[in-house]
Amino acid sequence: MPLIDCGNGVRLERGIRCKLSDGITLVSDHYYPAGEGPWPTLLMRQPYGRDIASTVVYAHPVWFARQGFHVAIQDVRGRGGSEGDFYPFRHEGRDGAETIAWLRMQAACNGRIGMYGFSYQGATQLLAAAEQPEGLQCIAPHMTATDLYHGWFYHQGALRLSSALGWGIQMLREDARRKNLREASSKLETAWANIRAQSAQVPYADHPAITDPALPSYVRDWFAHREPGEYWTAQDISTRIDRIQVPALHIAGWYDTYLEGSIAGYLALRKGAGTESAREHQYLFVGPWVHIPWGDRVGDTNLGEAANLNTDEILLRWFNHWLKDTSEFSMDARVRYFRMGINNWRGAHDWNEETFTLYLHSAGNANSREGDGRLSPNASEIEEPRDVFVYDPEVPVMAPGGPQALSGPFDQAALEMGNNLLVYTSEPVQQPTEVFGQPRVKLYAATSAAHADLVAKLVRITATGRVEFLCIGIARSSWLFREAGYTADQVRAWEFSLEPIAFVLAEGERVRLEIASSAFPLYDRNPSTDIPPQCADNWNWARSTQQILHTTDHPSVLYLPIKGTPGW
């Protein structure tokens, strides 16, 4: 096939075929730098079309080729031009390792290989690296997860419904076209065109777009495997962290779907990668971004010029360092993170785990932002009355970004008008106060249903009165109390984490904790019955009543990861 001129001496060769040991052929496009090779190689393995090459967030492969890298963009098994059947994650370890071995035999490759990519393309790197292929010297997994159950699909027992169903429908569309399933394709396209309605279908396991028996089963499998176990660990590296023996550059976003997975993956590799060198050379950038795109706008919020971090230049320095021995990737800080509120970057030697305790208080009516809920550094000295709210799965509290579960620092003031959630607000800080890390709550609660959820959401009250969403967490009783069991109407301590965040409260600003029993459709609804959530609809939903205690014997608290001196 003739080479295509891409300017500046860069040439493109399309449709190069790599035959795997099981007879399947994978197809890739290769970009060659000017001059004579061989060169170090950058590999991206992806399921979305090799011509796109994740240019929604990265520079085009031509740009990397101009910098002196041979770049290979490959369609994974069962996608694009590659043969075989696609089942997410299942084949990416072996297929990636065999691809790397094949690349090292190509005339353009000097034997030194790095991988890059975000989301699914991040997972393909981790899975390939766990196979320890010769020649792979570094990876750059962005916005992904080492643990698929906890970091991608489920959050403390609750399905990340909008992202799992939406992504599943997106992926099944190509499967339907490849298999020439006209009726299934039409249903998938209809569902894809109406994102807002996707999660409203109940039972969601019976969504008509995913139930055609001729379609692959992976979306249905995700919903059926509601507990961590072999189904998930066979597809990720959560039980094989020590198999990773290469440096990794992690990039995450405070408002990304896979934020929890990205941070947990970095921390797991910092602690458990297979060599001291690999553990020491894990680096993390966390920006203020959603999954796509990365920049200074999230929703209706302008995050300032600092949010336009040039991640391509960072990647170039990373690969120059490890594949060209330039020694140019040197950082004073292992972790660099964007601080919401003052909208700038700060470095840290590592992840912050120091916390400051704020106690929940009220006179028994913390419902809505018109209620009397307070946060204070001081524990209760009296027997304060309980706060009570009702959860109705038919009318759930909506996600921070509304019916589509959009990500970003959206204003929560309108949502806080409802009495179906509790609101606890701190006093204004007397000096700038930085929060960096993973907030946690310990809530003493009794619920009228043995199957219940508690949701904790952290927001910032700005000087203008804006109620800005920061982070959220959920715990499902069947997950949190899976060992000891859970009984209705008994007071239990619900201790769970929210997703990580970094922000600075300016003098006079306040922090607020909301407590509810849903954040739909970010998470699936708990039916309050023993019907599995994926099988439940309004015929078997039930309401429940939740009580939150904050007394001397049952002090419900918010643990804030404060960096420096708190302002209260």
Side-chain angles (χ1 to χ4, degrees):
M1 185 174 293
L3 297 180
I4 298 168
D5 183 6
C6 297
N8 303 102
V10 175
R11 296 146 296 157
L12 163 63
E13 186 175 8
R14 293 195 179 108
I16 300 179
R17 299 168 70 81
C18 165
K19 190 169 185 178
L20 304 177
S21 60
D22 64 356
I24 293 294
T25 296
L26 306 183
V27 177
S28 53
D29 290 344
H30 291 230
Y31 299 81
Y32 304 108
E36 296 295 325
W39 304 275
T41 295
L42 303 184
L43 170 63
M44 177 189 292
R45 305 189 64 254
Q46 53 72 52
Y48 302 110
R50 62 185 187 275
D51 53 337
I52 298 174
S54 292
T55 50
V56 290
V57 293
Y58 300 120
H60 195 277
V62 168
W63 184 84
F64 289 102
R66 289 184 197 135
Q67 317 307 318
F69 291 95
H70 163 228
V71 186
I73 310 295
Q74 185 181 70
D75 291 327
V76 300
R77 178 185 295 248
R79 312 301 281 185
S82 293
E83 297 175 350
D85 295 322
F86 178 70
Y87 193 106
F89 311 105
R90 181 168 287 176
H91 304 286
E92 306 305 356
R94 187 189 65 183
D95 288 1
E98 290 194 20
T99 295
I100 289 168
W102 169 79
L103 277 172
R104 296 186 75 237
M105 295 187 295
Q106 304 304 300
C109 179
N110 69 1
R112 307 179 71 177
I113 296 173
M115 296 183 73
Y116 76 110
F118 84 118
S119 195
Y120 192 86
Q121 297 84 285
T124 64
Q125 297 173 61
L126 294 163
L127 289 162
E131 301 296 315
Q132 299 180 353
E134 186 177 356
L136 182 63
Q137 298 192 356
C138 63
I139 58 176
H142 302 159
M143 294 188 174
T144 190
T146 55
D147 184 325
L148 291 176
Y149 177 83
H150 294 98
W152 192 293
F153 290 98
Y154 287 86
H155 191 188
Q156 295 165 161
L159 177 72
R160 291 178 168 95
L161 176 61
S162 58
S163 61
L165 181 59
W167 184 57
I169 289 172
Q170 178 187 3
M171 304 312 284
L172 286 172
R173 290 162 66 226
E174 181 169 340
D175 294 310
R177 291 192 292 266
R178 288 173 73 99
K179 295 175 180 291
N180 198 29
L181 302 173
R182 293 283 181 169
E183 184 178 352
S185 178
S186 178
K187 291 178 180 179
L188 286 161
E189 294 299 335
T190 298
W192 180 248
N194 191 355
I195 295 175
R196 181 167 180 164
Q198 284 177 8
S199 302
Q201 173 73 36
V202 291
Y204 63 81
D206 293 336
H207 195 296
I210 68 172
T211 51
D212 190 314
L215 287 171
S217 65
Y218 51 81
V219 180
R220 303 190 296 274
D221 294 343
W222 300 338
F223 299 162
H225 291 85
R226 301 195 63 87
E227 300 293 330
E230 185 178 353
Y231 170 79
W232 298 104
T233 58
Q235 301 176 79
D236 64 26
I237 65 164
S238 60
T239 59
R240 300 179 292 145
I241 291 294
D242 62 335
R243 296 286 299 170
I244 303 292
Q245 297 186 0
V246 294
L249 173 64
H250 307 259
I251 290 181
W254 292 132
Y255 295 105
D256 175 45
T257 304
Y258 309 124
L259 169 63
E260 182 102 10
S262 295
I263 303 299
Y266 161 77
L267 292 172
L269 288 167
R270 273 283 292 137
K271 180 180 180 181
T275 67
E276 182 178 355
S277 177
R279 293 190 292 274
E280 285 300 308
H281 292 104
Q282 302 293 318
Y283 297 91
L284 173 66
F285 283 82
V286 194
W289 308 308
V290 294
H291 201 56
I292 305 171
W294 308 347
D296 63 357
R297 297 295 195 279
V298 179
D300 59 355
T301 303
N302 184 341
L303 297 168
E305 183 57 32
N308 289 320
L309 187 70
N310 192 329
T311 50
D312 294 318
E313 291 290 345
I314 293 169
L315 271 175
L316 179 60
R317 290 194 292 112
W318 175 255
F319 289 126
N320 281 344
H321 180 97
W322 294 106
L323 302 181
K324 294 184 178 180
D325 301 323
T326 62
S327 300
E328 64 186 271
F329 191 88
S330 57
M331 294 176 59
D332 295 331
R334 189 183 310 279
V335 175
R336 294 196 67 82
Y337 60 96
F338 189 91
R339 300 187 291 178
M340 303 293 295
I342 60 174
N343 295 345
N344 65 10
W345 293 87
R346 184 171 184 178
H349 176 68
D350 221 324
W351 194 250
N352 177 42
E353 297 185 354
E354 297 294 325
T355 60
F356 178 77
T357 303
L358 289 172
Y359 293 85
L360 279 62
H361 298 276
S362 83
N365 188 23
N367 305 74
S368 86
R369 60 186 167 88
E370 299 300 319
D372 57 16
R374 298 180 294 110
L375 292 173
S376 167
N378 302 313
S380 175
E381 297 180 354
I382 61 173
E383 291 300 301
E384 296 178 358
R386 302 179 181 188
D387 289 309
V388 182
F389 69 96
V390 175
Y391 163 62
D392 184 351
E394 194 159 358
V395 189
V397 174
M398 301 306 292
Q404 291 178 246
L406 300 174
S407 298
F410 292 102
D411 195 321
Q412 304 297 288
L415 185 144
E416 290 180 347
M417 295 170 64
N419 279 337
N420 54 354
L421 79 168
L422 306 178
V423 175
Y424 300 89
T425 308
S426 76
E427 293 296 319
V429 293
Q430 302 303 307
Q431 63 186 34
T433 299
E434 178 176 344
V435 175
F436 165 52
Q438 189 153 26
R440 292 183 297 113
V441 292
K442 185 175 184 179
L443 305 174
Y444 285 95
T447 68
S448 65
H451 297 271
D453 292 347
L454 287 182
V455 175
K457 185 202 302 180
L458 193 63
V459 300
R460 177 175 71 102
I461 316 300
T462 71
T464 62
R466 178 179 171 85
V467 184
E468 188 172 277
F469 169 68
L470 293 166
C471 61
I472 194 168
I474 188 172
R476 184 154 286 173
S477 58
S478 57
W479 179 86
L480 192 62
F481 304 103
R482 58 193 179 281
E483 295 182 2
Y486 186 76
T487 303
D489 296 318
Q490 290 189 358
V491 175
R492 299 291 296 273
W494 294 60
E495 189 163 8
F496 59 95
S497 62
L498 285 66
E499 294 206 327
I501 192 64
F503 63 94
V504 174
L505 292 172
E507 182 179 350
E509 292 185 340
R510 295 172 291 164
V511 71
R512 175 175 288 169
L513 179 69
E514 300 173 13
I515 298 173
S517 279
S518 60
F520 180 79
L522 179 65
Y523 307 120
D524 63 347
R525 286 176 274 206
N526 195 323
S528 303
T529 66
D530 59 2
I531 302 295
Q534 74 274 21
C535 301
D537 60 17
N538 54 356
W539 288 93
N540 40 53
W541 286 336
R543 301 184 186 94
S544 59
T545 301
Q546 332 300 28
Q547 303 180 55
I548 303 298
L549 290 71
H550 35 83
T551 65
T552 53
D553 292 335
H554 299 97
S556 293
V557 296
L558 164 66
Y559 299 108
L560 274 183
I562 298 289
K563 190 174 180 67
T565 304
W568 294 284

